[in-house]
Amino acid sequence: MQNIHRYAKRVTIAAFIVLLIATIFYTFNRHLYFFLLVFAGILLAVLLSGITNWFVNKLHVRREVGLLISSILFFGSIIGAFWLLAPTVGKQVQEMRSTVPEVVTQLEGWLSQYGWGQKIVEQMPNDMSKVLPQQQALFSRLSGVVSSTLSFLADLLIVIITGLFFAANPPLYTRGVAKLFPVRYRSRVLEVLQKCYETLKLWLVGMLAAMTIIGISTAIGYSLIGLNLAFALAFIAFLFAFIPNIGPWIAGIPVVLVSLTQGPQMVLYSLLVYGGIQLVESYWITPIIFQKTVDLPPALLLFVQVLFGIVQGGLGLLLAAPILAVIIVVVDEFYVKDFLESDLQAPSVETKSG
């Protein structure tokens, strides 16, 4: 009878664990956007914690003071850079929008030289004003833009608040996660969480360094060849450099459109400059930077980016790389080292007897 009770208890526990795992996966799938926002907050907390720890160790101040200084420097730098660059970039973006009709006209002229291109031109409307929405549709789109803007601001506020709370007292949350595991595993969980923190911190340092190099070198290169809207295009290249593999291709599209307004020769020059910078960044700068930080497998990273992009759009594509970095650490520590290689780490029977 006692064995039956033990068996029933084990079956109940196993069923509960399976149900719990299924519930977690269902919740994660249904509310993936929320979890991505939380992860974005964790990423911000990692950045702020790294800066805060430096101030605490160097200036010997309390953590609250270090976090205040870090937050002022981080958000102040973003606001200051926006304040300095916004007039120039905004003006050039407006010029970029005004050049679109000219680009379309030149593109039609180039396509008309070929038979297959002539068929495409015939399908394009002669009056581009017909493409513009009517007044009723315009108001509908305007309300959608306002709603999207408010949603973006709300999401941004969630990320900032989450990052500040996590950065204020990281041990409070890491110990809370560790308490979800049996006592004998808690020290190991804390060790892996610390390694995840170090991995994300190094990845952020390497990515910010690569983005800065790309942004500055692109602005200099475009200015030297006389490409219009050089700072706006460099700013776009700087932002999309945060998305490995896919980001540079997206940032190259406006370069081609703008250079078309200055002739085929400028298209060639701009592509050479942009391609040269991306080539140097991919095969020289990035390997040097990430050799000492985090090196993600390119093919696996591209697969994860496509998967997250399909499932959750832009936010998933944006966070695919750091999420992959954390997944690699967790799999390597818990599955590879603690499970697959556990027999190699434990002393063998022959060794004990010998």
Side-chain angles (χ1 to χ4, degrees), residues 51 55 68-78:
I51 303 174
F55 281 116
L68 178 62
I69 298 174
S70 303
S71 301
I72 292 175
L73 287 177
F74 177 72
F75 294 109
S77 300
I78 295 177

Side-chain angles (χ1 to χ4, degrees), residues 21-215:
I21 294 175
T23 303
I24 291 174
F25 273 101
Y26 176 78
T27 305
F28 185 80
N29 183 49
R30 293 281 296 179
H31 305 285
L32 178 59
Y33 188 80
F34 168 76
F35 289 106
L36 290 178
L37 287 180
V38 173
F39 185 83
I42 294 175
L43 202 61
L44 177 61
V46 168
L47 179 61
L48 293 177
S49 293
I51 303 174
T52 300
N53 293 336
W54 187 88
F55 281 116
V56 170
N57 295 330
K58 297 297 181 180
L59 302 181
H60 303 287
V61 297
R62 297 177 57 185
R63 184 169 184 85
E64 294 80 3
V65 177
L67 179 59
L68 178 62
I69 298 174
S70 303
S71 301
I72 292 175
L73 287 177
F74 177 72
F75 294 109
S77 300
I78 295 177
I79 295 173
F82 180 80
W83 186 268
L84 292 175
L85 297 177
T88 302
V89 175
K91 180 181 178 181
Q92 292 191 356
V93 169
Q94 291 295 330
E95 294 177 3
M96 184 185 299
R97 294 179 60 184
S98 64
T99 59
V100 171
E102 184 179 353
V103 171
V104 172
T105 301
Q106 294 188 4
L107 184 61
E108 289 180 352
W110 180 75
L111 290 174
S112 300
Q113 300 175 6
Y114 306 94
W116 56 269
Q118 185 65 36
K119 296 180 180 179
I120 298 177
V121 173
E122 292 175 355
Q123 300 297 325
M124 299 176 64
N126 296 325
D127 187 6
M128 295 300 294
S129 61
K130 296 180 180 179
V131 182
L132 298 177
Q134 300 298 323
Q135 184 176 4
Q136 185 177 0
L138 187 61
F139 280 116
S140 177
R141 293 189 181 184
L142 182 60
S143 62
V145 170
V146 173
S147 177
S148 300
T149 304
L150 293 177
S151 177
F152 170 77
L153 293 177
D155 294 343
L156 183 61
L157 184 62
I158 292 173
V159 171
I160 293 175
I161 294 176
T162 303
L164 291 175
F165 274 119
F166 283 162
N169 191 4
L172 175 65
Y173 302 97
T174 55
R175 288 196 300 263
V177 173
K179 287 182 179 179
L180 299 176
F181 295 85
V183 177
R184 64 180 181 273
Y185 297 130
R186 289 178 183 176
S187 59
R188 178 58 175 159
V189 171
L190 289 173
E191 180 184 348
V192 175
L193 288 177
Q194 179 64 27
K195 191 161 187 178
C196 290
Y197 163 75
E198 296 293 338
T199 300
L200 286 178
K201 184 178 69 174
L202 292 175
W203 182 84
L204 281 172
V205 170
M207 184 55 64
L208 290 175
M211 291 172 62
T212 302
I213 294 174
I214 290 175

Side-chain angles (χ1 to χ4, degrees), residues 1-13:
M1 182 67 66
Q2 188 176 2
N3 292 333
I4 295 176
H5 285 300
R6 288 181 180 178
Y7 178 76
K9 183 178 179 181
R10 290 179 180 178
V11 171
T12 304
I13 294 175

